[in-house]
Amino acid sequence: MIKSMTGFGSYTQSINNISITSEVKTLNSKFLDLSLKIPKSLSSKEIEIRNLISEHLVRGKVSFSIQIDTESSSDNFVINKDLFKEYYDYYLSLEKETGKTFTDILKLCLDSPGVQNTQEDSFDDKLWQSVQSNIINTLSQCTESRITEGTKLAEVLLQYIDSISKSLDSIIEIEPHRLNQIRERLKSDINDLISSSEYDHDRLEQELIYYSEKLDINEEIERLKIHLNSYKETIKENLSQHGKKLGFISQEIGREINTIGSKANSADIQKYVILMKEELEKIKEQTLNVL
């Protein structure tokens, strides 16, 4: 069955003193439009994260965020001792050069960039594996959400297709009456023409062929039936993406409906053509939400 491009997923897990939360929201889009919000500690993994998301979601306007929270604990802090010593030696040298003494050189060293870190800042492979697992679980939830929405969407689309089929059945039912009216009108015109003193026999045959081809809608009716069935079968197919194929078929459906309306030249048929066009517009709008 089809998947909707509208979806949501959220997953939280705790490892030791670290909590990892991922959240994703998706909407319809022709291509993958990914907005990614991640902690600074994951900057080096951004490309891998983007690839992971694109593999699972394929298409849509995607907002994905990752949040890493560390519980308050002395175990969470990491002091870069080597860097601390470098700052200490540097500040001491500044004191000698300037002849001035810093108020609290130890605090100054501790507050210097890169000296104090948390476990979040000191990212390791084990924590990255947990983040990957968290991302995949979030994406799986989003996929399930897309499938659920897709099932509802499929029901709506099939209702619209059935509505078009009913209008087409009505056209098929009144078509013989329309043809009889055309025949009677042509017979009357032909009799009037033959009764005149002069007429071109070859031209008459050409005109009859022209009108028969111009007014015949049987081929369009048969093609429209095929396209409607094709749309329904495509919805049921096991495809990674349905949206583009369904969009193409809906265009073909519209082409046949328009041709029937222009060739039929009948108020009765035109009434059903308008109804079919209204349902088709709904189909096109909803098909934009299909992955």
Side-chain angles (χ1 to χ4, degrees), residues 12-264:
T12 300
Q13 64 183 123
S14 296
I15 303 165
N16 297 327
N17 295 316
I18 298 176
S19 175
I20 305 170
T21 300
S22 297
E23 183 176 288
V24 61
K25 298 176 183 177
T26 63
L27 297 171
N28 65 305
S29 176
K30 288 184 178 180
F31 310 101
L32 180 66
D33 181 8
L34 174 58
S35 173
L36 183 61
K37 184 178 179 181
I38 58 176
K40 188 177 179 180
S41 57
L42 284 175
S43 298
S44 63
K45 302 293 185 180
E46 180 174 349
I47 294 177
E48 292 180 59
I49 293 171
R50 286 183 176 273
N51 290 338
L52 194 59
I53 294 171
S54 63
E55 287 174 8
H56 281 77
L57 299 184
V58 183
R59 194 159 63 98
K61 185 176 178 63
V62 180
S63 297
F64 199 102
S65 65
I66 302 174
Q67 182 175 340
I68 300 177
D69 296 315
T70 306
E71 296 177 11
S72 298
S73 170
S74 59
D75 294 336
N76 294 325
F77 288 99
V78 179
I79 301 297
N80 189 327
K81 296 179 181 179
D82 293 334
L83 188 57
F84 176 88
K85 188 175 185 307
E86 287 181 17
Y87 278 121
Y88 184 78
D89 292 339
Y90 175 72
Y91 290 132
L92 284 179
S93 67
L94 282 179
E95 285 184 334
K96 292 179 181 179
E97 291 178 12
T98 61
K100 296 181 179 181
T101 303
F102 293 109
T103 303
D104 190 344
I105 194 170
L106 293 179
K107 185 177 186 305
L108 190 60
C109 292
L110 285 172
D111 292 340
S112 296
V115 174
Q116 295 187 70
N117 298 296
T118 64
Q119 287 186 16
E120 176 188 341
D121 297 322
S122 56
F123 211 72
D124 57 22
D125 290 338
K126 186 176 181 181
L127 189 55
W128 167 235
Q129 290 176 1
S130 299
V131 171
Q132 281 181 302
S133 173
N134 192 276
I135 292 172
I136 291 172
N137 283 321
T138 302
L139 293 172
S140 296
Q141 279 194 9
C142 184
T143 298
E144 289 300 318
S145 174
R146 281 180 156 191
I147 291 172
T148 300
E149 290 297 318
T151 302
K152 298 175 183 177
L153 188 54
E155 293 175 358
V156 172
L157 288 169
L158 290 174
Q159 288 175 2
Y160 293 150
I161 291 292
D162 288 340
S163 179
I164 292 177
S165 296
K166 289 178 182 177
S167 292
L168 183 60
D169 289 339
S170 298
I171 290 175
I172 294 171
E173 187 177 343
I174 63 178
E175 172 62 4
H177 177 66
R178 181 187 76 97
L179 291 177
N180 286 333
Q181 287 181 325
I182 294 172
R183 289 193 191 98
E184 292 302 320
R185 187 169 67 248
L186 284 175
K187 284 180 182 179
S188 175
D189 293 342
I190 291 170
N191 288 331
D192 291 341
L193 181 62
I194 293 176
S195 62
S196 63
S197 56
E198 295 182 1
Y199 74 93
D200 187 333
H201 185 270
D202 292 335
R203 179 62 184 274
L204 175 61
E205 287 187 351
Q206 291 175 2
E207 291 292 332
L208 288 174
I209 294 172
Y210 170 76
Y211 276 108
S212 64
E213 291 179 349
K214 182 180 178 181
L215 300 175
D216 184 16
I217 60 173
N218 286 314
E219 287 188 14
E220 286 74 18
I221 288 174
E222 291 305 315
R223 283 199 294 265
L224 181 52
K225 285 181 180 178
I226 292 171
H227 294 323
L228 293 174
N229 287 330
S230 178
Y231 196 97
K232 290 192 288 187
E233 290 301 319
T234 300
I235 286 179
K236 299 174 184 177
E237 286 180 1
N238 184 21
L239 303 174
S240 59
Q241 297 186 59
H242 293 78
K244 292 181 180 179
K245 185 175 180 180
L246 291 176
F248 172 76
I249 298 172
S250 64
Q251 289 179 354
E252 296 300 308
I253 290 173
R255 185 175 289 109
E256 301 305 333
I257 292 174
N258 288 332
T259 305
I260 290 173
S262 62
K263 291 178 70 173

